Amino acid sequence: MKLNKFSNLLLASAIAMTASTAVHAQSRDTIQIAGSSTVLPFSSVVAEEFGNNFAQFRTPVVGSGGSSGGLRQFCQGVGASTIDVANSSRKIRPNEVEACKANGVKEIIEVKIGYDGIVFASRTDAAIFKLEPRHVFLAQAAEVPQNGKMVANPYIRWNQIDSSLPDQDILLAIPGSNHGTREVYEEKAVVPGCQTLAEVKAMEKDAAHKFCTAMRTDGRVVEIAGDYTETLARLTAQKDAIGVFGLSFYEANRDRIKVATMSGVEPNQDTIISGEYPVSRPLYIYVKGAHIGVIPGLQEYAQFHVSEAMSGFGSVLESAGLIPLSDEERAEMIQNIKQKKSL
């Protein structure tokens, strides 16, 4: 009898705690967002406009932390103590999806919001660069092939890599590994450049990837963990530096930096939409399906983010540098949000 009474008390306590947690989850009335520094300015504009246009909801709070950092927070679990949306400048990885689901985040709604290009930029008073992926790889590689063997990277000036490049010290400021930009930078520029080399073509796949992504450690490649303003500060301080940025950041800072061509193509909205410019990528937000209907305005915010008025052609986000989705892609994303289509 005493044991049954004790068990009933425990059950009642557990039910009370569950009810309290549910009430607490519903008590948070502000959408919480974190992640990519590339997506940050776009989400900040959407959050402000959402607050202005949806008076019944509070203005969302948008933080940064990089794509990996935002997805890590997103995947910590479900409930008021976890974020509702992760901004990402790359697609979520399979191991991140697994981590999410292991922590109870089983409804992951992937929303493509538009496109961006990755540009190589220098100060406006610096030399003009016409880059190829091969140049980028050889500038940052830990080792390069010479005379039939791999040697420590001997290149210290760009014209040593290719006589068509400026006679200027090599100094690359690239995104840290916490940034989605870093993954796309490697996937679309470094690795393709590396794979043009005959010695690499002869390697096993895993060995080739390891070789292609190994970086020199003599100070000529600097990893920037912060946002693009930190990279810009590096260029301001050092005339020879070339930084890796999102196109939207470059567009907002044309008076301070200029871009290199890549494979003969200048990065701009037209060349990215057409696919001519080789270093481009889609941008995403990831919405926690379990929080829709619990955190006020979450579904409305997600749909507003990809609405034609907010992010279509002629919209405020296009003016801010986002390259819009096609009409077909936009309709698909809105439908995915409405149906809570999960990965």
Side-chain angles (χ1 to χ4, degrees), residues 227-274:
D227 59 22
Y228 292 136
T229 57
E230 188 176 331
T231 309
L232 181 59
R234 175 73 63 163
L235 269 60
T236 302
Q238 295 175 281
K239 185 177 179 179
D240 286 348
I242 293 178
V244 177
F245 300 91
L247 177 70
S248 55
F249 186 87
Y250 157 66
E251 294 283 4
N253 291 276
R254 280 177 170 267
D255 59 328
R256 304 176 69 182
I257 52 179
K258 62 184 178 185
V259 291
T261 58
M262 178 60 72
S263 301
V265 180
E266 182 179 343
N268 57 48
Q269 179 171 300
D270 292 338
T271 59
I272 289 171
I273 289 175
S274 70

Side-chain angles (χ1 to χ4, degrees), residues 16 32 57 63 103 105 107 109 146 152 162 168 171 182 194 196 212 257 260 312 320 325:
Q32 300 287 338
F57 303 124
N103 290 328
V105 185
E107 295 178 89
I109 305 170
Q146 283 194 350
D162 192 312
Q168 177 178 310
L171 179 57
R182 169 65 168 276
C194 177
T196 63
C212 289
I257 52 179
L325 300 172

Side-chain angles (χ1 to χ4, degrees), residues 66-272:
S67 298
S68 296
L71 288 165
R72 193 178 305 114
Q73 290 185 59
F74 182 84
C75 291
Q76 285 177 344
V78 172
S81 62
T82 65
I83 65 171
D84 311 301
V85 179
N87 293 334
S88 184
S89 58
R90 61 166 174 79
K91 196 173 182 68
I92 191 170
R93 298 169 182 148
N95 65 309
E96 290 168 328
V97 173
E98 289 175 12
C100 264
K101 293 189 174 181
N103 290 328
V105 185
K106 300 185 185 300
E107 295 178 89
I108 306 166
I109 305 170
E110 181 180 82
V111 182
K112 187 189 298 181
I113 62 167
Y115 295 88
D116 186 29
I118 295 174
V119 304
F120 296 79
S122 53
R123 282 171 28 172
T124 54
D125 60 347
I128 295 172
F129 275 81
K130 297 179 180 180
L131 292 171
E132 300 284 344
R134 181 177 63 88
H135 300 152
V136 178
F137 167 71
L138 292 173
Q140 80 148 46
E143 293 185 333
V144 299
Q146 283 194 350
N147 302 319
K149 60 181 180 179
M150 300 300 181
V151 300
N153 194 335
Y155 301 124
I156 59 172
R157 300 185 74 78
W158 286 98
N159 66 336
Q160 293 172 340
I161 292 173
D162 192 312
S163 60
S164 69
L165 295 174
D167 182 8
Q168 177 178 310
D169 276 347
I170 293 172
L171 179 57
L172 271 173
I174 69 171
S177 57
N178 60 314
H179 289 284
T181 305
R182 169 65 168 276
E183 183 173 310
V184 180
Y185 160 75
E186 290 183 344
E187 177 189 328
K188 302 277 186 156
V190 176
V191 172
C194 177
Q195 289 173 340
T196 63
L197 305 175
E199 294 86 349
V200 174
K201 290 177 182 177
M203 291 181 180
E204 294 289 334
K205 184 178 178 181
D206 289 346
H209 184 77
K210 185 177 180 180
F211 174 78
C212 289
T213 54
M215 289 194 308
R216 65 197 303 172
T217 57
D218 58 359
R220 294 188 180 275
V221 180
V222 179
E223 296 181 79
I224 306 294
D227 59 22
Y228 292 136
T229 57
E230 188 176 331
T231 309
L232 181 59
R234 175 73 63 163
L235 269 60
T236 302
Q238 295 175 281
K239 185 177 179 179
D240 286 348
I242 293 178
V244 177
F245 300 91
L247 177 70
S248 55
F249 186 87
Y250 157 66
E251 294 283 4
N253 291 276
R254 280 177 170 267
D255 59 328
R256 304 176 69 182
I257 52 179
K258 62 184 178 185
V259 291
T261 58
M262 178 60 72
S263 301
V265 180
E266 182 179 343
N268 57 48
Q269 179 171 300
D270 292 338
T271 59
I272 289 171

